[in-house]
Amino acid sequence: MATSTGVDNRKLFMWLFLASECLFFGSLIAAYLLYRGQHGVPCMDGDLSTCVFPTDRTINGVEYEGIFDIPFTSVSAFVLLMSSVSMVLALAAIQRGNVRAMRIWLFTTAALGALFVGGQAFEFTEFYREGLTLETNLFGTTFYVLTGFHGAHVTIGVLVLFSLLIWSSRGKIQAKDSLNIELAGLYWHFVDIVWIVIFTLIYLIQP
Amino acid sequence: MAGVAQAGNPLGRALRDVRHMAEDRYSIWSWIATVDHKRIGIMYGITAFTFFLIGGVEALLLRIQLAQPNSTFLDPDQFNRLFTMHGTTMIFLVVMPLSAAFFNLVIPLMIGARDVAFPRLNSFSFWAFLAGGIFLNASFFIRGNIFEGDIGAPGAGWFGYAPLTSTEFSPGHGIDFWILGLLILGVASMAGGFNFIVTILNMRAPGMTLLRMPLFVWMTLVTSFLIIFAMPVITVALFELLFDRLYNANFFNASVGGSPLLWQHMFWLFGHPEVYILILPAMGIVSEILPTFSKKPLFGYPFVVFSGVAIGFMSWGVWVHHMYTTGLGTVANSAFGLSTILIGVPTGVKIFNWLATMWGGSISIKTPLLMCAGFVTMFTIGGLSGVLHTMVPSDFQQQDTYFVVAHFHYVLFGGSIFALFAGVYYWFPKFTGKLLGEGLGQLHFWLMLIGFNLTFFPMHISGLLGMPRRIYTYQEGFGFDTLNMMSTVGGFIIAASMLVFITNFISSLRNGEKSGRDPWDARTLEWSLPSPVPNYNFKEVPVVEARDAFWYTKYRENEEGVVVRIEGAAADDEEDDGEGGHGIHLPSPSYFPLIAAAGLPIIATGLIYDPALVAVGVATTMIGVFGWAIEPPTERR
Ligand SMILES: [Cu+2]
């Protein structure tokens, strides 16, 4: 359908939605950074509730840097980054009319996304075992909520991709329907970019 | 079109049956499944007006309590809960959705479109709004009943300052209902925001360039942008509070270093744009009505447009004026004082443009114009008392007094509500084919104006005398007694004016004077259509050649340069009974938006009481969303 701006309604919608999401993640990241900048009481031996933010770099006697397994999270970040590549390939495939290739790349994207979520679940479990919960301190609170909301976004993306796969297996997605894939792709790349920001701010640049 | 409805299975048959029921224009199902922007607008209007009455009754109870010193009509706890619900209701369940009602009713008509960009999303917005409103009000009943002095509603003020909202100081589930209710309402208004931006940018008729759009369309566009950018901020703040309350997170827990001020920053970073979300649509309505009733184009159209856009941008840089007394320091306070003074400039530009529009016009004094005049004067008073708040020392004095209460009621009631009523009187004929009674209309206006000023003007004085807001009573002998009695009497006069309005509305609906297409000799496209508007809106999509598109099909300059009416233009000939327009593709009715929205309060209830319910709610919403995605959007009419 012809629109006044020439941009498809659904695509414009998606761009606006993503712009709005910037404010959503921006607010969460702001809360994290605000609390990270605070210097407070150092953690007492084993008593995490006394520390504002792990400024003395220990949680339960474990070095603060130690709680992050940087190599592990780097790999999962890389996995998510690669899923963006396969997403691009899926879109290119359907625009050429190659449904089979699109399905393969969509599946790859969804699988990589699921792998990332799995990695996050593993990471959360590990931190929990080391004694870091939502209640522990401000770090626990802000870390879990920020990365958790991101993980939820990836999960929704994975669900959307699988739905598209099922839809296409019934022959409903042809070259003329490539907009569906494009929209899913826009969302997927956005979530990916958000992770790059979070990964940099939380894992790479530590106080 | 192979939808699920085509399959032979029982589910498919059931779906086909309910869709069939919705085809009948007169059945209730056709309203429940409607995706017609006009019907959705009407439902928004009626629902929001119902909440207006509820919020009004809450206000009357507060006023009865405050009529005399040392009153025991309400206990302090009930008082807190009632003013919290009053504020929350009036902002989120009344002014915002009433504006949304007008977006729905007139935006597509004004830009020459057959519907909004996403009709089913529009229906979802309405149902989510209704769900959120009911959920929020359900909190009244979670603890017992009002007769036993025990109500469960939230009681921490409409801005819910931390740490008052923590489980320690607000036990029970009132605040949880408040948080989750606002989250649902946020979803509803964000969905509406996206929808109207796309509609306005993408669905304009040929020739309807941006600078030919009616002012109301412009203000809706700015408002929608504010909604989609401000709502995520409050959403995050509410989630953080929810995690604090339900899962012992520490966002606002000062004992481990959390900062209650973070809540205030986030709340007001949303809250100040919200102020303009509440007032810009009203300004848009007034900018439509004043030119029509002055028989002149809007004075300085581009200035009014760009000052609206400027307000939209500047509204992001003034939030700290709500926080002068929190100790952010002189520099921050001065900077935000300055930015707040500056945001008064585009607002002032608008006021002068409205005055200049009326200046020298041939003004016809009908109720819509009176309501607009009420808006301009009352809003100006509210704006001026607002300017007093920009000055830090003066604000320190007025903080948490009734002076502030007077100020924002002059802006939100004297401003928004007057303009919204102007809109009701103005557009009522377009959607019913009948005029609202002029006599009762003027009685409504004068009663409301007198009642309003009697209620809120004395609050300026009681506030300056030092009467604190949000306190359930006061001692005699401080000079508050008479002023409060005046406010209470005024409140009941406002209530009486609402009875006049309701009487007028119902009797006009039954046997009001027939309006025809264009009872006001108006300027914008919706008046070129039959009243009530047929469900496809435009039989042929109009081609727009000028600002005030409809006016220029009715009038032109003759050889002497005098504006004359074109013979026979826009005559009220063919009464369209909605039978024309065969072959126009209209979006088909759908139940899925309702189902998707119905899952939200179930999820919310589950989060408070039982995780199993969350699963039910999520499943419901998923069914709605998937059904929505699979169902073909359009059928041949
Ligand atoms: Cu403000």
Side-chain angles (χ1 to χ4, degrees), chain B residues 268 271-273 275-276 318-319 321-322 340:
Chain B
W268 290 116
H272 199 87
V275 170
Y276 289 99
V318 296
W319 80 92
H321 64 213
H322 298 269
T340 308

Side-chain angles (χ1 to χ4, degrees), chain B residues 435-496:
Chain B
L435 288 163
L436 276 169
E438 189 58 32
L440 284 177
Q442 298 208 4
L443 179 64
H444 168 204
F445 167 73
W446 287 109
L447 272 181
M448 191 162 87
L449 187 74
I450 293 166
F452 168 77
N453 279 291
L454 190 59
T455 311
F456 296 105
F457 199 82
M459 290 185 188
H460 288 112
I461 304 165
S462 54
L464 287 177
L465 288 175
M467 181 168 167
R469 62 190 283 212
R470 295 187 225 114
I471 302 293
Y472 79 107
T473 192
Y474 51 93
Q475 306 295 311
E476 56 214 299
F478 284 96
F480 302 153
D481 308 17
T482 322
L483 294 167
N484 273 284
M485 185 49 97
M486 285 163 77
S487 291
T488 301
V489 172
F492 279 91
I493 296 179
I494 297 176

Side-chain angles (χ1 to χ4, degrees), chain B residues 125-360:
Chain B
S125 287
F126 169 73
W127 293 114
F129 151 61
L130 181 64
I134 293 174
F135 183 80
L136 188 63
N137 277 283
S139 64
F140 272 116
F141 306 100
I142 55 176
R143 246 182 30 172
N145 68 66
I146 192 163
F147 301 107
E148 287 158 19
D150 201 23
I151 48 180
W158 84 275
F159 30 64
Y161 277 173
L164 183 56
T165 44
S166 65
T167 39
E168 187 183 351
F169 301 113
S170 293
H173 288 304
I175 301 289
D176 301 326
F177 272 81
W178 180 78
I179 296 169
L180 289 157
L182 290 191
L183 285 173
I184 297 173
L185 293 166
V187 171
S189 40
M190 276 191 279
F194 297 129
N195 209 343
F196 280 97
I197 296 174
V198 177
T199 304
I200 292 169
L201 292 181
N202 261 0
M203 309 283 283
R204 283 168 286 137
M208 179 63 83
T209 57
L210 288 178
L211 283 176
R212 283 179 186 165
M213 294 196 312
L215 231 290
F216 182 63
V217 180
W218 262 108
M219 291 307 106
T220 304
L221 183 63
V222 176
T223 305
S224 304
F225 270 110
L226 288 179
I227 288 175
I228 68 164
F229 290 132
M231 280 293 161
V233 181
I234 187 73
T235 300
V236 168
L238 289 167
F239 268 124
E240 292 179 348
L241 184 59
L242 189 71
F243 283 117
D244 273 13
R245 287 182 59 90
L246 295 184
Y247 312 117
N248 299 319
N250 301 311
F251 283 105
F252 308 115
N253 179 1
S255 68
V256 298
S259 165
L261 265 193
L262 174 65
W263 171 268
Q264 288 201 30
H265 279 294
M266 294 182 81
F267 187 86
W268 290 116
L269 190 55
F270 146 81
H272 199 87
E274 170 71 14
V275 170
Y276 289 99
I277 292 171
L278 300 170
I279 199 70
L280 286 177
M283 291 176 164
I285 292 172
V286 170
S287 306
E288 295 305 327
I289 295 177
L290 286 180
T292 300
F293 285 83
S294 309
K295 299 247 176 293
K296 279 174 67 189
L298 183 68
F299 184 84
Y301 171 93
F303 288 96
V304 185
V305 169
F306 287 117
S307 59
V309 176
I311 287 175
F313 279 103
M314 293 167 81
S315 67
W316 291 91
V318 296
W319 80 92
V320 168
H321 64 213
H322 298 269
M323 301 169 62
Y324 285 152
T325 55
T326 57
L328 295 174
T330 325
V331 177
N333 284 357
S334 313
F336 280 91
L338 193 64
S339 66
T340 308
I341 290 174
L342 288 179
I343 204 172
V345 174
T347 313
V349 167
K350 288 187 174 235
I351 291 175
F352 283 113
N353 278 290
W354 292 323
L355 295 179
T357 303
M358 287 191 279
W359 187 268

Side-chain angles (χ1 to χ4, degrees), chain B residues 365-379:
Chain B
I365 301 193
K366 296 269 176 60
T367 315
L369 181 91
L370 286 173
M371 289 286 180
C372 286
F375 166 89
V376 175
T377 45
M378 296 303 107
F379 179 75

Side-chain angles (χ1 to χ4, degrees), chain B residues 584-599:
Chain B
I584 295 174
H585 289 269
L586 282 180
S588 14
S590 172
Y591 294 92
F592 290 115
L594 168 61
I595 296 171

